Amino acid sequence: MILIQLSAAQGPDECMLATAKALRRLMQEAKAINVELELVESEDGDRPGTLRSALVLLRGEQAETLADNWCGTLQWTCASPWRKGPGRKNWFIGVTRFTPQQTFSDGEIRFTTLKASGPGGQHVNKTESAVRATHVASGISVKVQSERSQHANRRLAAYLIAWQLQNRRQQREAQLRAQRRQFHHEVERGNPIRVFRGEGFEPA
């Protein structure tokens, strides 16, 4: 189970478009090597078809390899679809793997079980494998039903709560110390690990 985040950071609309294109490319590469990819959370950009960020869950034997191949700064080289004339053609986004740095003691998270909903037939309706987890101190609550076992859903729920808590801390730090921008708000402009070109977002 690997969580990775794609982010346009504070980039312009073109970076948000690159984030959406990168997500589609990541989905294609995951499918090609039999890695299961689930979009856990996303934030739309200002223009239709763009994304500020996306959080995805990877599962499978090749998940580690796929994550290693994507994490870092991505460069998209393409003329802007919205700006006329010559100008900037390199757009940068960031991809990072989320590894929870905190552990929760008993009582910090309240878990309740419930029946999973959605497609799945009789098995889904009869199995109480879904989990709702609430972080008592912050009130953050998530529902997880994507894993096959209740134990795995509890672990993923704890991951998501840790991720949201980290985002809250980053937002507070950004407000107090604007010069110390966290990864979600800043992407290194240069030294890309991968470069893509053109409307089709093809690897260079």
Side-chain angles (χ1 to χ4, degrees), residues 37 136 165:
L37 183 151
V136 177
L165 287 171

Side-chain angles (χ1 to χ4, degrees), residues 4-126:
I4 64 173
Q5 183 181 26
L6 296 79
S7 175
Q10 290 185 322
D13 291 334
E14 291 84 356
C15 293
M16 299 181 202
L17 179 58
T19 301
K21 288 179 176 289
L23 177 60
R24 290 194 291 271
R25 172 64 61 177
L26 177 59
M27 289 177 171
Q28 292 171 3
E29 293 189 7
K31 184 177 182 180
I33 58 174
N34 295 318
V35 170
E36 183 180 352
L37 183 151
E38 178 185 349
L39 179 61
V40 177
E41 184 173 304
S42 64
E43 181 181 354
D44 291 337
D46 296 329
R47 292 178 181 267
T50 66
L51 289 173
R52 289 184 182 276
S53 66
L55 182 70
V56 300
L57 176 66
L58 304 177
R59 307 182 192 85
E61 293 183 2
Q62 298 298 316
E64 288 278 357
T65 301
L66 183 62
D68 289 344
N69 196 33
W70 276 83
C71 288
T73 297
L74 305 185
Q75 176 183 326
W76 178 38
T77 301
C78 186
S80 170
W82 302 297
R83 306 182 196 219
K84 303 300 182 183
R88 177 178 170 184
K89 292 185 179 181
N90 292 320
W91 317 100
F92 296 91
I93 67 172
V95 181
T96 186
R97 177 172 176 170
F98 175 70
T99 303
Q101 299 297 316
Q102 69 182 100
T103 57
F104 298 103
S105 59
D106 291 342
E108 281 192 84
I109 298 180
R110 185 173 63 249
F111 293 98
T112 56
T113 59
L114 56 156
K115 291 182 179 180
S117 59
Q122 293 180 352
H123 177 72
V124 165
N125 295 329
K126 292 180 179 180

Side-chain angles (χ1 to χ4, degrees), residues 121-179:
Q122 293 180 352
H123 177 72
V124 165
N125 295 329
K126 292 180 179 180
T127 304
E128 291 192 349
S129 59
V131 168
R132 182 174 297 283
T134 303
H135 186 245
V136 177
S138 66
I140 292 174
S141 180
V142 298
K143 178 185 176 183
V144 177
Q145 63 178 42
S146 58
E147 299 298 313
R148 294 182 179 179
S149 71
Q150 185 183 123
H151 174 76
N153 279 328
R154 286 167 66 100
R155 183 161 67 103
L156 177 55
Y159 267 38
L160 295 179
I161 287 176
W163 179 74
Q164 292 196 29
L165 287 171
Q166 176 176 291
N167 278 354
R168 287 191 178 186
R169 286 194 297 269
Q170 289 179 347
Q171 290 170 5
R172 288 195 296 266
E173 290 173 4
Q175 291 171 354
L176 295 174
R177 302 175 183 178
Q179 72 276 15

